[in-house]
Amino acid sequence: MRKYRTFVIAVAYLACCVFITVHTWAEKIKLRAGHVIPVDKKLSRSDIKGMFRRGERLVWADQDANTVGMPVGGIAAGQLYLRGDGTLGLWQIFNKNIFSGYGATNYRTYKPDSPVDSGFGVVVKQDDKITVRKLDHNFGKVEFAGEYPIGLVRYAAGDFPIKVEMEAFSPFIPLNAKDSALPATLFHITLENTSSQSIQAGVLAWLENAVCIDSAPSIHALRRTRIVGEKGRAMIVHTAEKAPPPTAAEQPRPTIAFADFEGPDYGDWKAAGEAFGNKPAGGALTSQNPVSGFLGKGLVNTFLGGDGPHGTLTSPPFEISRKFINFLIGGGSQQRQTCINLLIDAKVVRTAVGKDNEKLESYFWDVSELEGKSAQIQIVDSASGGWGHINIDQIELADAPQQAPPGELEDLPDYGSMVLACGSGPCQTRTVLDSIGGWAAQLNAENDVTFPVSKSKTAALATQPLNLAPGQKQTYTFALTWHFPNFKQGHEYANRFNSASEVAHYVLDNHERLAGDTKKWHQTFYEDSTLPRWLLFRLHSTVANLATGTCQWWKSGRFWGWEGVGCCEGTCTHVWNYAHAVARLFPELERSAREMQDFGEGFHEDTGLVGFRSDNNYAADGQCGTVLKAYREHLMSADSGFLKRNWPRIKKTLEFSIKQDGNDDGLIENSQHNTFDINFEGPNTFVGSLYLAALRAGEEMAKEMGDDEFAKRCRKIFESGGKLSVERLWDGEYFIEAVDLAKHPKFQYEKGCLSDQLFGQGWAEQLGLGYIYPVENVKQALQSVWRYNWAPDIGPYNADYKPERWFAREGEPGLFTCTWPKSPYLADGVRYKDEVWTGIEYQVAGHMVWEGMVEEAVAICDGVQKRYDPAKHNPFNEVECGDHYARAFASWGVYTALAGYEYHGPKGHIGFAPAVTPEDFRAAFTAAEGWGAFSQKRKGKTQQEMIELRWGRLALKSLAFEVPENFQPAQVTLTTAGKSSECDYTLKDRRVEISLKDALVLTPGQMLVVTIQR
Ligand SMILES: [Ca+2]
Ligand SMILES: [Ca+2]
Ligand SMILES: [Ca+2]
């Protein structure tokens, strides 16, 4: 932060002359032969100019948008994608945890799939003939132009008289977490008549009943679909309910025992593959948990050699001679992979899977409609992962079903409801569907139907075709909502709503406000900003992670995160160390993670340890980061309540790290587990800078709490640590690790150049804590990270040094975790050294902006943008270990750095020092209770600042801005709505600090204008 520059220069005992000497020497440094990353990145002036051009909204057409999967559900409400062609995909809203993999699994080119049938189409009525054209890739020319949070897809075709624009989004209103966490997606579909004649047109919308989507093969239940008409609205309401028990035959014939697997082999059943062996199992197999529930001494159990092997076991053909087939089933729950199937003419007509439980339970198929047919039973194991096996026993043909205990339907994770609502007038669906004919005629539009869950049915709504004059536009509003409350920790949304219908009513009743505020944010962030549009796209795209499986908001009010979708639990302190977006946009969520996890469930009162996954384990970086996050959460609060409540535990958290330091010299020397999933074994500035920044944050918080003694102690350790770090860890160009490789040969970086070596300094800038190392060392170390670790093409380096996991490919730019430019490459060095992580790239880029390396910072972001070009990789899904990796939330740190944003909510302080185009700058900002647009203009003798509040409120007591070199203010005036406020100001090293005589509160629509004149 700029205000400390004077101070830092004063303590910069490595004075300028040393820096220059070092710099000159650096030009002559002989790099290690294998270090093939070019020092000169060969970025041309026109490349750089292009990166800084304001530019237009990004648009990708047709195949170029193939990988797009833009999250369009609410925060922590599941994961629903808007695909590049405007269709919906992924549909992970049913509480099933799916790990999305890493490396080759998730850094690959693919179009997200769509397991649920849904969509929209344009209905056109001409000469009494009604036709429909679906809004998908077959429409004609399809363009994706979504910018999170608002998806936007445009459709046009030479052979169709209507042009369509579709917006799809879930309400997203910074600082209003609840209205941004709705299990809902809104659609605005605008039709425009591009022909020269009047046309009658409307919209057709359809949605499959997917309630119990995963459980369906294992339960006996009904799906119910109702079409509900209301004033000016219509809704498809999908639910599921218990099926009445199937009735036994009135005069039951004797039961036929079809297979009991009691023999020495499978008899006339045919086994293929390795999973079944040549005979039934006698119970549990080697290293399997106990297996129970089977009859007699034998059963089918495919855990033969573990979950790995595959195979099938097929019965001889038989005649279905009873109304039911009863059997016992246990094992894995994967459809089509760990299952028993009934085959007729080699087609699967019934199927069942286990419930990830070794115990066999009774189950039945109702086959009365198939009586007399010839069939076969096939048991399938084509799964290898966890629960990749199936257990079967006692297959019988009977005239009565045996009791099937599938678990209470109402408790199943995928039990709940789904709604597709049309908010634009009444619907005349059946007539329209029948008139369209074909597939449309098959759609369900009846008022109330039930059908077995084993069947799939799609229901539709069609708006009444309206007359559109040439050039006329008409917008239709739809809402898709869902409600699946049976999640282990519960969903916050279920505290507020009892069904998808309730959600739909709320969303449509409040449509104007919810959509209006969302659009206002989009307008403020994207449209009104002077920052390059592509850069805004990039930096905001990661915020979409909030609306994915990575994030959960529990019934208790606690915000919780994986590292990436489905993997590595516990809002891991060291991964979330990089994340800034949530704290700045929805501070209440981060505060809940601090209070309910770090200083709650994961806190150890006796020692001050913060278990890094809310457990008993210590991560050195995560422990220090917790103190920094606590300070940030305090800064983003409206008052000091958070700090007061948590101070004793924040202090203990820092004291735990001071204890690791051991002798109060400001260096942590012991074993330091960290985000590279290994331990650093000696002083280093990765953990060390976080420690020093935490001490500075501790000092500030202690002062605010009146704990002067602790503040002094923090200061003392901090000053010692900064000094010793330079003495012991500065190699002339960057900071290294002091480690004895003879003692600790593995996972160290020693003389390497670690990209994250100034992590804590970056944090210090974010929080206004100033320099923790001398400014010259900081700047030069960052230059070295750029010179040695950023490659315009990662190919050559990765050809020599293969990464453990690939998150960038040949031809793509990227910043390596660590390199050894001047010393032998450590093959056993720090883990993940040859990988490229977007979280680190943003962390470094954000810090570079604060240090004036704006071009380098933007080039790094441009590298991410190039890798996540939607022709190759989903631009909304920056991957690491899991999709939508939380570390990528670091992008917001770049954004705040570009504005030179500083904020202290409880003190009512806000400040800006734009790093690009300070003569004409405008960008969105958030504060504790409100957000808006900040702009700055420099002209002649005047610098003018405008803070326009657009949402909430903003309480102000002081302000800070940066003026040009040699700018001596002679007058500072403040006005709001023509009313001026009295103030004092000081100038210190280009920084004008203004304090108001009386506190000021801005309300929406109000603008504070600060005029600084020399
Ligand atoms: Ca048996
Ligand atoms: Ca298997
Ligand atoms: Ca020490």
Side-chain angles (χ1 to χ4, degrees), residues 33 87 182 192 201 208 414 580 738 843 896 941:
T87 55
L182 296 166
E192 181 182 349
E208 177 188 351
D414 51 358
H580 285 298
Q843 187 281 115
T896 47
K941 293 182 167 183

PDB file of all heavy atoms in Angstrom, residues 33 87 182 192 201 208 414 580 738 843 896 941:
ATOM      1  N   ALA A  33      21.832 -24.292 -17.938  1.00  0.00           N
ATOM      2  CA  ALA A  33      21.565 -24.673 -19.330  1.00  0.00           C
ATOM      3  C   ALA A  33      20.149 -25.221 -19.527  1.00  0.00           C
ATOM      4  O   ALA A  33      19.494 -24.936 -20.520  1.00  0.00           O
ATOM      5  CB  ALA A  33      22.594 -25.705 -19.771  1.00  0.00           C
ATOM      6  N   THR A  87     -28.288 -24.400 -24.167  1.00  0.00           N
ATOM      7  CA  THR A  87     -28.968 -25.505 -23.493  1.00  0.00           C
ATOM      8  C   THR A  87     -28.356 -25.679 -22.111  1.00  0.00           C
ATOM      9  O   THR A  87     -27.253 -25.197 -21.841  1.00  0.00           O
ATOM     10  CB  THR A  87     -28.834 -26.808 -24.301  1.00  0.00           C
ATOM     11  OG1 THR A  87     -27.438 -27.048 -24.538  1.00  0.00           O
ATOM     12  CG2 THR A  87     -29.560 -26.694 -25.631  1.00  0.00           C
ATOM     13  N   LEU A 182     -30.259 -18.652  -4.390  1.00  0.00           N
ATOM     14  CA  LEU A 182     -31.564 -19.259  -4.654  1.00  0.00           C
ATOM     15  C   LEU A 182     -31.383 -20.460  -5.585  1.00  0.00           C
ATOM     16  O   LEU A 182     -30.643 -20.369  -6.566  1.00  0.00           O
ATOM     17  CB  LEU A 182     -32.494 -18.236  -5.313  1.00  0.00           C
ATOM     18  CG  LEU A 182     -32.850 -17.023  -4.451  1.00  0.00           C
ATOM     19  CD1 LEU A 182     -33.471 -15.914  -5.304  1.00  0.00           C
ATOM     20  CD2 LEU A 182     -33.801 -17.433  -3.329  1.00  0.00           C
ATOM     21  N   GLU A 192     -37.482 -11.386 -31.736  1.00  0.00           N
ATOM     22  CA  GLU A 192     -37.571 -10.193 -32.581  1.00  0.00           C
ATOM     23  C   GLU A 192     -37.934 -10.633 -33.999  1.00  0.00           C
ATOM     24  O   GLU A 192     -37.260 -11.486 -34.592  1.00  0.00           O
ATOM     25  CB  GLU A 192     -36.232  -9.451 -32.597  1.00  0.00           C
ATOM     26  CG  GLU A 192     -36.275  -8.187 -33.429  1.00  0.00           C
ATOM     27  CD  GLU A 192     -34.917  -7.468 -33.479  1.00  0.00           C
ATOM     28  OE1 GLU A 192     -34.005  -7.830 -32.717  1.00  0.00           O
ATOM     29  OE2 GLU A 192     -34.794  -6.563 -34.321  1.00  0.00           O
ATOM     30  N   ALA A 201     -45.937 -15.480 -32.866  1.00  0.00           N
ATOM     31  CA  ALA A 201     -44.844 -16.274 -32.302  1.00  0.00           C
ATOM     32  C   ALA A 201     -44.970 -16.370 -30.788  1.00  0.00           C
ATOM     33  O   ALA A 201     -45.587 -15.526 -30.141  1.00  0.00           O
ATOM     34  CB  ALA A 201     -43.496 -15.655 -32.665  1.00  0.00           C
ATOM     35  N   GLU A 208     -37.953 -32.329 -18.143  1.00  0.00           N
ATOM     36  CA  GLU A 208     -38.191 -33.698 -17.709  1.00  0.00           C
ATOM     37  C   GLU A 208     -38.388 -33.739 -16.194  1.00  0.00           C
ATOM     38  O   GLU A 208     -37.791 -32.953 -15.466  1.00  0.00           O
ATOM     39  CB  GLU A 208     -36.967 -34.546 -18.093  1.00  0.00           C
ATOM     40  CG  GLU A 208     -37.030 -35.981 -17.657  1.00  0.00           C
ATOM     41  CD  GLU A 208     -35.697 -36.715 -17.898  1.00  0.00           C
ATOM     42  OE1 GLU A 208     -34.802 -36.136 -18.560  1.00  0.00           O
ATOM     43  OE2 GLU A 208     -35.575 -37.852 -17.425  1.00  0.00           O
ATOM     44  N   ASP A 414     -31.934 -37.427  -3.540  1.00  0.00           N
ATOM     45  CA  ASP A 414     -32.457 -36.824  -4.774  1.00  0.00           C
ATOM     46  C   ASP A 414     -33.974 -36.691  -4.758  1.00  0.00           C
ATOM     47  O   ASP A 414     -34.602 -36.455  -5.785  1.00  0.00           O
ATOM     48  CB  ASP A 414     -31.985 -37.601  -6.005  1.00  0.00           C
ATOM     49  CG  ASP A 414     -32.239 -39.089  -5.886  1.00  0.00           C
ATOM     50  OD1 ASP A 414     -32.746 -39.532  -4.835  1.00  0.00           O
ATOM     51  OD2 ASP A 414     -31.926 -39.812  -6.852  1.00  0.00           O
ATOM     52  N   HIS A 580      -9.985 -14.398  -2.596  1.00  0.00           N
ATOM     53  CA  HIS A 580     -10.410 -13.066  -2.152  1.00  0.00           C
ATOM     54  C   HIS A 580     -11.835 -12.716  -2.559  1.00  0.00           C
ATOM     55  O   HIS A 580     -12.453 -11.831  -1.982  1.00  0.00           O
ATOM     56  CB  HIS A 580      -9.471 -11.992  -2.713  1.00  0.00           C
ATOM     57  CG  HIS A 580      -8.147 -11.949  -2.011  1.00  0.00           C
ATOM     58  ND1 HIS A 580      -8.040 -11.655  -0.670  1.00  0.00           N
ATOM     59  CD2 HIS A 580      -6.891 -12.183  -2.444  1.00  0.00           C
ATOM     60  CE1 HIS A 580      -6.769 -11.691  -0.310  1.00  0.00           C
ATOM     61  NE2 HIS A 580      -6.044 -12.022  -1.366  1.00  0.00           N
ATOM     62  N   ALA A 738      16.348 -21.503   3.370  1.00  0.00           N
ATOM     63  CA  ALA A 738      17.547 -21.971   4.074  1.00  0.00           C
ATOM     64  C   ALA A 738      17.275 -23.371   4.606  1.00  0.00           C
ATOM     65  O   ALA A 738      16.598 -23.538   5.613  1.00  0.00           O
ATOM     66  CB  ALA A 738      17.897 -21.017   5.215  1.00  0.00           C
ATOM     67  N   GLN A 843      -2.449 -14.658  -7.693  1.00  0.00           N
ATOM     68  CA  GLN A 843      -1.808 -14.147  -6.475  1.00  0.00           C
ATOM     69  C   GLN A 843      -0.613 -13.278  -6.874  1.00  0.00           C
ATOM     70  O   GLN A 843      -0.460 -12.152  -6.400  1.00  0.00           O
ATOM     71  CB  GLN A 843      -1.381 -15.339  -5.615  1.00  0.00           C
ATOM     72  CG  GLN A 843      -0.845 -14.991  -4.242  1.00  0.00           C
ATOM     73  CD  GLN A 843       0.591 -14.500  -4.241  1.00  0.00           C
ATOM     74  OE1 GLN A 843       0.860 -13.345  -3.910  1.00  0.00           O
ATOM     75  NE2 GLN A 843       1.512 -15.347  -4.636  1.00  0.00           N
ATOM     76  N   THR A 896      -8.983  -5.856  -7.182  1.00  0.00           N
ATOM     77  CA  THR A 896      -8.861  -4.803  -6.163  1.00  0.00           C
ATOM     78  C   THR A 896      -7.535  -4.061  -6.316  1.00  0.00           C
ATOM     79  O   THR A 896      -7.462  -2.855  -6.093  1.00  0.00           O
ATOM     80  CB  THR A 896      -8.999  -5.379  -4.733  1.00  0.00           C
ATOM     81  OG1 THR A 896      -8.169  -6.538  -4.625  1.00  0.00           O
ATOM     82  CG2 THR A 896     -10.422  -5.761  -4.431  1.00  0.00           C
ATOM     83  N   LYS A 941      -5.547  21.273 -13.620  1.00  0.00           N
ATOM     84  CA  LYS A 941      -5.142  21.416 -12.227  1.00  0.00           C
ATOM     85  C   LYS A 941      -6.044  20.623 -11.284  1.00  0.00           C
ATOM     86  O   LYS A 941      -5.946  20.766 -10.069  1.00  0.00           O
ATOM     87  CB  LYS A 941      -5.184  22.899 -11.847  1.00  0.00           C
ATOM     88  CG  LYS A 941      -4.152  23.725 -12.578  1.00  0.00           C
ATOM     89  CD  LYS A 941      -4.206  25.162 -12.128  1.00  0.00           C
ATOM     90  CE  LYS A 941      -2.962  25.900 -12.622  1.00  0.00           C
ATOM     91  NZ  LYS A 941      -2.917  27.274 -12.171  1.00  0.00           N
TER      92      LYS A 941
END
